[in-house]
Amino acid sequence: MEGSDENRGVVLALLSSGFIGASFIIKKKGLRRAAAVSGVRAGVGGYYYLLEPLWWLGMVTINAVHGKLESANLIVGEVANFVAYAFAPAVLVTPLGALSIIVSAVLAHFILKERLHQLGILGCVMCIAGSVILVIHAPKEHPIASVLEIWNMATQPAFLLYVSSVVVLVFILVFHFSPRCGHTNVLVFTGICSLMGSLSVMSVKALGTSLKLTFEGMNQLIYPETWFFMLVVATCVITQMNYLNKALDTFNTAIVSPIYYVMFTTLTILASIIMFKDWDGQSGSTIASEICGFVVVLSGTILLHVTKDFERSPSFGGSNSAPPSPSLSAQLCSGNGEFLKLSEEDGALS
């Protein structure tokens, strides 16, 4: 039965990665269109994309345009991911997110014209190979009989220390680094998403397990802990969505996706090891294999990033060209619509 549950988790995780990876593309097209209309990009605080149908199309529908899949259901992807965590351990489900890197990088190459270098293709292959290694050596999930068990895991001193560290880092990134270098360094926005993402996955795992047990006849909705985890999920997802939109609007999709994946996966696996003790009972060789698999994935994502520097000399630049200067950011903040429309239509900032 446990093996069957893990197989379901793997399939759901693969489907989720495909949906989410494709949704990066359609959402970015929606962000571009919204920025061209309003004159204020999401990366500098604009929220006009909430009125853009194309952005919502990327969130809630699947649509084929010109014979190519140009939008994916991010909500469906996240739901599939949510269910996957209820059936399989986080250290098994999370690395499969590498598929979203492949999907988003390939679609960005053909649809957004963000060129994927040949070495970038090698990086994609490395991501897949590393994920396979991680899946093969993933630990078996320990059976959980109640949400109270998960609550005891979440309130252990080691995990509380991790949560406190994450909250402090997020506040520092949001209030100190984001206003100063958020639009020139991709690590700021993606760092906020990744830190909050590690907490959301732990809460999603707890909430998904609670709902699974409830559907099996053991009602977990009577416990306040279940509703607390639901509140944490909502808070983390809203924060992630906000800063992920900022990252996608400011930087190249082929850079945002792999960096976000590396940081998110690293922090999620770390959080899962602390909270659920996934490595307990595993041999040293198995743990070493998992670490090697993750290093391969990490190398692949770094290679994807480095190959984008072949197109632009400045590292960690914006999505269209060099990193926007303070004066350019000021122009965008002041709503210089004509300049923005020209830059979006030409596909490169002057």
Side-chain angles (χ1 to χ4, degrees), residues 77-299:
E78 293 297 351
V79 169
N81 212 34
F82 175 88
V83 178
Y85 281 112
F87 287 99
V91 294
L92 173 61
V93 174
T94 305
L96 294 179
L99 180 61
S100 66
I101 299 177
I102 313 303
V103 173
S104 60
V106 172
L107 291 182
H109 176 82
F110 291 105
I111 297 173
L112 300 180
K113 308 305 179 185
E114 297 176 357
R115 186 171 178 267
L116 182 62
H117 195 273
Q118 290 181 347
L119 288 178
I121 298 175
L122 176 60
C124 293
V125 173
M126 293 175 66
C127 290
I128 295 175
S131 295
V132 170
I133 295 174
L134 284 168
V135 169
I136 292 175
H137 295 91
K140 298 294 183 181
E141 184 166 33
H142 305 295
I144 297 175
S146 170
V147 69
L148 297 179
E149 282 188 45
I150 304 179
W151 180 256
N152 290 334
M153 297 175 186
T155 54
Q156 58 184 308
F159 189 71
L160 289 177
L161 177 61
Y162 174 81
V163 172
S164 302
S165 302
V166 167
V167 172
V168 170
L169 286 174
V170 167
F171 269 89
I172 292 175
L173 288 172
V174 169
F175 295 106
H176 180 75
F177 288 102
S178 181
R180 291 168 173 77
C181 56
H183 299 94
T184 57
N185 192 326
V186 69
L187 296 178
V188 176
F189 291 152
T190 54
I192 296 171
C193 293
S194 302
L195 288 165
M196 296 300 290
S198 66
L199 297 183
S200 69
V201 167
M202 298 302 101
S203 299
V204 162
K205 174 72 175 175
L207 183 59
T209 303
S210 300
L211 294 178
K212 176 188 173 185
L213 292 172
T214 299
F215 292 142
E216 291 176 351
M218 295 174 284
N219 188 8
Q220 303 296 306
L221 300 180
I222 59 175
Y223 299 109
E225 289 82 359
T226 300
W227 299 99
F228 175 80
F229 286 128
M230 187 178 299
L231 177 62
V232 174
V233 169
T235 303
C236 293
V237 167
I238 291 173
T239 305
Q240 285 178 265
M241 182 185 299
N242 181 37
Y243 284 95
L244 182 58
N245 282 328
K246 290 178 181 291
L248 286 173
D249 187 62
T250 306
F251 303 98
N252 193 301
T253 307
I255 292 178
V256 173
S257 297
I259 292 178
Y260 175 53
Y261 169 75
V262 169
M263 297 177 68
F264 169 75
T265 304
T266 303
L267 291 170
T268 299
I269 291 178
L270 176 61
S272 184
I273 290 172
I274 296 174
M275 180 174 173
F276 292 100
K277 304 186 182 303
D278 293 318
W279 280 357
D280 285 5
Q282 285 196 297
S283 64
S285 60
T286 301
I287 295 175
S289 298
E290 292 178 26
I291 294 175
C292 290
F294 181 70
V295 170
V296 173
V297 175
L298 178 63
S299 302

